[in-house]
């Protein structure tokens, strides 16, 4: 059987199908391109979305029982990291790195805050977080909260986390490993990736402090 072009010229039906196939392929490519613009943070993928997309309103509880919000953190730049106290590698490495960077900054080291947000509220109570953070030898604000509060701050920073079952009925948590650097007004500036050189991370911190 045949079909016709718009000018009335007959053509085989399979040619028409080919034209339709190309059109559908084009639409799929556009959809994929649009989807690629929406970035979901993974532990091994650095953020690539626009700066205003990171940060926002949140309210959590620190290790001393005080309420900490996005507004109460304003006035001083801060580095914020999401993890959990039983994390075997990325979390202690990242927090120790921030402690070392603060030390390298000398007198400027206390001009920014370090904030740790637990993504394991079922296990990490504020006392657990407080005890954990003392291991790093520098002041760190540790935050926890209800499931709803955690969902709000995770959404604000586009953080990925997921419980992963392990043998014996326990679990670990896969999560974003980037450290977010925010300016004194609570605006996102850049990130420190857990694999980037120390001198590059130090330069980023200096820039945030000076801004």
């Amino acid at each position: 059987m045949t079909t016709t072009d718009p000018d009335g010229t007959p053509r085989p039906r399979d040619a028409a199908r080919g034209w339709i196939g190309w059109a559908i392929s084009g639409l799929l490519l556009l959809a994929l391109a649009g989807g690629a613009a929406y970035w979901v943070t993974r532990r091994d993928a650095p953020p690539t979305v626009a700066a205003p997309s990171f940060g926002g309103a949140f309210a959590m509880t620190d290790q001393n029982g005080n309420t900490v919000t996005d507004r109460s953190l304003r006035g001083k730049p801060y580095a914020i990291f999401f993890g959990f106290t039983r994390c075997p590698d990325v979390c202690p490495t990242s927090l120790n790195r921030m402690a070392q960077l603060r030390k390298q900054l000398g007198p400027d080291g206390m001009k920014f805050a370090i904030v740790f947000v637990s993504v394991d509220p079922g296990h990490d109570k504020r006392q657990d977080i407080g005890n954990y953070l003392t291991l790093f030898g520098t002041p760190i604000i540790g935050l926890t909260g209800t499931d709803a509060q955690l969902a709000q701050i995770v959404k604000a920073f586009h953080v990925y986390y997921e419980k992963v079952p392990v043998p014996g009925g326990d679990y670990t948590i896969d999560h974003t490993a980037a450290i977010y650097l925010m300016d004194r007004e609570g605006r996102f500036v850049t990130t420190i990736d857990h694999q980037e050189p120390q001198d590059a991370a130090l330069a980023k911190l200096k820039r945030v402090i000076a801004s």
Side-chain angles (χ1 to χ4, degrees), residues 151-169:
Q152 184 178 26
I153 192 170
V154 161
K155 181 178 180 181
F157 284 89
H158 297 270
V159 169
Y160 162 82
Y161 77 99
E162 182 179 10
K163 286 185 178 181
V164 180
V166 296

Side-chain angles (χ1 to χ4, degrees), residues 126-170:
R126 62 184 183 85
Q127 295 88 348
D128 300 312
I129 295 173
N131 292 334
Y132 177 68
L133 295 180
T134 61
L135 300 175
F136 302 100
T138 195
I140 299 175
I141 301 169
L143 301 182
T144 188
T146 65
D147 289 342
Q149 288 174 321
L150 178 60
Q152 184 178 26
I153 192 170
V154 161
K155 181 178 180 181
F157 284 89
H158 297 270
V159 169
Y160 162 82
Y161 77 99
E162 182 179 10
K163 286 185 178 181
V164 180
V166 296
D170 202 357

Side-chain angles (χ1 to χ4, degrees), residues 39-56:
W39 176 81
V40 178
T41 316
R42 298 280 173 167
R43 71 182 289 172
D44 57 353
T48 57
V49 299
S53 297
F54 289 87

Side-chain angles (χ1 to χ4, degrees), residues 9-80:
T9 304
R11 64 176 179 178
R13 172 171 290 199
D14 58 354
R17 287 176 176 168
W19 180 86
I20 293 171
W22 279 110
I24 292 173
S25 298
L27 290 173
L28 287 174
L29 286 172
L30 286 174
L32 288 172
Y38 180 77
W39 176 81
V40 178
T41 316
R42 298 280 173 167
R43 71 182 289 172
D44 57 353
T48 57
V49 299
S53 297
F54 289 87
F58 63 83
M60 304 289 283
T61 302
D62 72 10
Q63 65 265 52
N64 299 313
N66 301 313
T67 297
V68 176
T69 71
D70 57 300
R71 290 186 174 275
S72 67
L73 286 173
R74 291 182 187 178
K76 177 187 285 189
Y78 62 93
I80 184 168

Side-chain angles (χ1 to χ4, degrees), residues 181-193:
L181 299 184
M182 314 296 289
D183 70 13
R184 63 189 72 253
E185 297 300 323
R187 295 172 300 206
F188 172 77
V189 178
T190 186
T191 63
I192 294 176
D193 183 77

